[in-house]
C-alpha cells in the first residue's frame, strides 16, 4: 500500500520501472517520494498510481510506497514460483501477456490458460482484477486480440476486467482514434500499459506526451496508462 503521506488520488499514470533500474539504479526511485516523506503537505499527491516492471517480482526499492502490478508473461510461469508469488501477493491488478502475437503464441492457447488457471485462481478465488493481453497496435496484434476476445467473451466470467493496450506512433489524433476504437469495439475500460511517441524529435515527443496525457486523463474509460519507459538505456537500441 502507498504510504499515508504519499497519495496518488486522481492519477492514472503507471510508472514503467524497468528491471535494469533495480539492478543498476535502485536509489533513483526515491526521488518520487523524497518530498512527501519529509512531511511537506504541499506535495502529498504523487504523479503515479502504480508501478509495473513486466515481471512477477516487485522491485524491492519500491518499499510498498505504491501499488505494484505484476505480469504473467509466459505459460512457463504458470507452474513455477513466479505464479505462486503473483497469486500470494497483495497486488490487486495483474497483467496477462505482453505482445503475445510476437511470441508465436496462439490466441486459443492463451485463452485456455486464462480460463483454466488465471481467472479461477486469481479473480474468482482472490478477487484480483485481470488485464487482458496487451498486443501491438498493428494488424498482427489486432487480429490476435480479436480472436482471443472472441473466445473468452463466450462466457461472461472469463471476460477481462481491463483491456490491455499498447500504442506506439507519432500522431496524437491517430492515437486517440485507435484507443477510442478499441473501447468501442470491446466495451471494456482500457489499461494502456505501454504508450510512447516514436518520433526522434524531442519537441514532438514532449508535445505528444503532454497532449495524450491530458486526453487520457479526461477519458473515464481509460483506467490507467504507462509511458514507455523509465530506463537508463533505451530498449531495442532506440535513440
Amino acid at each position: 500500500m502507498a504510504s499515508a503521506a504519499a497519495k496518488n488520488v486522481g492519477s492514472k499514470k503507471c510508472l514503467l520501472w524497468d528491471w535494469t533500474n533495480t539492478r543498476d539504479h535502485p536509489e533513483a526511485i526515491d526521488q518520487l517520494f523524497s518530498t512527501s516523506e519529509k512531511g511537506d503537505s504541499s506535495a502529498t499527491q504523487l504523479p503515479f498510481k502504480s508501478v509495473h516492471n513486466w515481471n512477477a517480482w516487485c522491485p524491492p526499492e519500491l518499499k510498498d510506497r505504491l501499488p505494484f502490478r505484476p505480469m504473467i508473461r509466459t505459460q512457463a510461469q504458470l507452474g513455477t514460483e513466479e505464479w505462486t508469488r503473483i497469486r500470494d501477493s497483495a497486488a490487486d491488478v495483474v497483467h496477462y501477456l505482453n505482445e503475445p502475437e510476437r511470441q508465436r503464441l496462439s490466441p486459443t492457447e492463451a485463452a485456455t490458460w486464462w480460463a483454466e488457471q488465471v481467472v479461477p485462481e486469481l479473480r474468482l478465488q482472490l478477487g484480483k482484477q485481470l488485464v487482458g493481453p496487451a498486443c501491438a497496435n498493428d494488424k498482427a496484434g489486432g487480429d490476435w486480440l480479436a480472436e482471443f476476445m472472441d473466445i473468452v467473451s463466450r462466457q461472461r466470467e472469463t471476460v477481462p476486467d481491463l483491456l490491455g493496450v499498447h500504442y506506439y506512433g507519432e500522431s496524437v489524433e491517430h492515437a486517440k482514434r485507435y484507443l477510442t476504437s478499441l473501447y468501442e469495439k470491446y466495451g471494456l475500460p482500457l489499461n494502456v500499459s505501454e504508450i510512447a511517441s516514436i518520433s526522434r524529435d524531442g519537441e514532438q515527443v514532449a508535445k505528444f506526451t503532454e497532449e495524450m496525457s491530458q486526453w487520457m486523463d479526461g477519458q473515464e474509460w481509460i483506467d490507467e496508462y504507462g509511458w514507455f519507459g523509465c530506463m537508463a538505456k533505451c530498449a531495442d537500441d532506440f535513440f
Side-chain angles (χ1 to χ4, degrees):
M1 298 294 291
S3 69
K7 300 178 182 179
N8 50 24
V9 178
S11 175
K12 292 185 178 185
K13 297 181 180 69
C14 176
L15 174 63
L16 302 186
W17 186 252
D18 192 65
W19 70 271
T20 56
N21 295 327
T22 299
R23 182 191 66 191
D24 301 329
H25 306 285
E27 73 290 342
I29 202 169
D30 292 334
Q31 298 174 57
L32 291 176
F33 308 97
S34 59
T35 302
S36 59
E37 288 179 346
K38 291 177 182 177
D40 184 348
S41 60
S42 66
T44 56
Q45 183 167 313
L46 292 175
F48 294 101
K49 177 182 179 181
S50 61
V51 174
H52 176 54
N53 67 352
W54 299 275
N55 285 287
W57 50 269
C58 178
E61 64 272 22
L62 183 58
K63 301 174 185 175
D64 294 326
R65 291 176 290 187
L66 279 173
F68 173 64
R69 311 293 198 218
M71 169 173 273
I72 303 164
R73 289 199 320 275
T74 67
Q75 180 193 22
Q77 290 176 292
L78 297 179
T80 68
E81 64 180 14
E82 290 193 319
W83 169 259
T84 303
R85 183 180 293 118
I86 291 173
R87 185 193 62 203
D88 296 345
S89 74
D92 57 359
V93 176
V94 177
H95 290 261
Y96 180 65
L97 301 180
N98 187 70
E99 298 188 352
E101 75 281 5
R102 299 184 178 185
Q103 301 178 34
R104 296 184 179 180
L105 171 64
S106 76
T108 300
E109 288 177 304
T112 298
W113 309 334
W114 171 267
E116 293 183 355
Q117 183 171 349
V118 178
V119 170
E121 293 194 32
L122 297 187
R123 183 163 67 195
L124 299 184
Q125 293 181 23
L126 299 173
K128 298 181 186 293
Q129 284 196 308
L130 300 177
V131 182
C135 297
N137 58 299
D138 55 20
K139 186 178 186 304
D143 290 346
W144 194 101
L145 180 62
E147 186 174 344
F148 175 86
M149 289 299 295
D150 177 65
I151 297 170
V152 301
S153 296
R154 294 170 191 171
Q155 297 185 53
R156 185 178 182 83
E157 69 177 18
T158 55
V159 175
D161 297 291
L162 301 162
L163 190 73
V165 179
H166 285 179
Y167 184 86
Y168 291 91
E170 296 186 48
S171 167
V172 168
E173 292 308 313
H174 183 271
K176 291 178 181 179
R177 290 196 301 272
Y178 179 75
L179 298 183
T180 301
S181 71
L182 290 179
Y183 174 66
E184 291 177 344
K185 181 173 184 177
Y186 297 112
L188 295 174
L190 272 54
N191 184 302
V192 187
S193 53
E194 291 183 24
I195 183 171
S197 169
I198 59 173
S199 173
R200 262 63 173 182
D201 183 311
E203 291 186 2
Q204 290 299 318
V205 172
K207 183 175 183 292
F208 180 93
T209 303
E210 181 177 357
E211 291 187 12
M212 283 304 299
S213 290
Q214 291 177 353
W215 183 79
M216 289 188 289
D217 284 338
Q219 309 309 307
E220 292 184 357
W221 43 270
I222 294 181
D223 179 72
E224 197 165 287
Y225 61 88
W227 287 102
F228 188 89
C230 187
M231 54 191 69
K233 181 180 179 181
C234 292
D236 304 321
D237 296 321
F238 186 92
F239 294 99

